[in-house]
Amino acid sequence: MSAPTKPLPRIDADSAPFWEAAAEGRLVGQRCGSCDSWRWPPREHCPECHAATPVWHELPGTGSIVGLVVVHRPMDPAFADEIPLALIHVVLDGTDDKGVLQSTLQQGEWEHARVGSRVAVQFTPLHDDVVLPTFTLLELEKEI
Ligand SMILES: [Zn+2]
């Protein structure tokens, strides 16, 4: 029996540029073209000034963990092979405290991760040509 298929992220018109960039190995973030505030998840209207002028910016792909939850029981059996799974919130370099991306940490690194740990993006292929930006610790050696 083959392993259950992992659900794919929901891709809509607002988030499509993010997923297209990820498929090319680039990390991009959305910013308001009117008031310059960063936001996640992507959406048409700015939550600050309501302008419908989203602009995508190329980001360096590094950041700092500001939230960390380690999951020891899979919510979906398809993720059983990734347990324990570290869900992280990352403030991306080049943005501000509103440029927070939710993602996961490289398998096996959760024991070394802390709030404040520096991370770098890596691009994890799923299926159907979808590529998921996930993160790996930048300073694993120093923290052991
Ligand atoms: Zn705005």
Side-chain angles (χ1 to χ4, degrees):
M1 206 175 98
S2 62
T5 305
K6 291 173 186 169
L8 289 171
R10 241 174 293 147
I11 300 175
D12 58 22
D14 290 332
S15 65
F18 175 83
W19 297 108
E20 285 162 13
E24 295 168 0
R26 298 179 297 115
L27 187 68
V28 295
Q30 197 187 61
R31 193 174 196 184
C32 177
S34 179
C35 75
D36 282 345
S37 67
W38 292 94
R39 61 195 192 236
W40 185 263
R43 67 197 83 160
E44 185 179 3
H45 290 271
C46 174
E48 305 292 327
C49 74
H50 308 292
T53 51
V55 180
W56 289 92
H57 291 268
E58 199 95 12
L59 297 173
T62 50
S64 301
I65 293 177
V66 292
L68 171 70
V69 174
V70 180
V71 178
H72 291 272
R73 285 173 185 231
M75 304 275 280
D76 182 320
F79 292 96
D81 63 338
E82 293 188 36
I83 297 300
L85 176 67
L87 306 177
I88 55 173
H89 284 186
V90 178
V91 170
L92 297 167
D93 292 349
T95 72
D96 57 22
D97 60 0
K98 290 176 190 146
V100 176
L101 185 64
Q102 298 170 38
S103 185
T104 59
L105 193 62
Q106 169 81 25
Q107 199 167 12
E109 292 186 352
W110 66 274
E111 286 180 286
H112 309 290
R114 305 282 180 274
V115 168
S117 294
R118 298 283 298 156
V119 289
V121 73
Q122 56 186 6
F123 294 95
T124 305
L126 304 178
H127 51 97
D128 292 347
D129 297 327
V130 175
V131 175
L132 184 68
T134 60
F135 288 83
T136 185
L137 289 174
L138 273 177
E139 295 166 4
L140 187 58
E141 306 303 322
K142 289 181 200 165
E143 292 183 13
I144 292 174

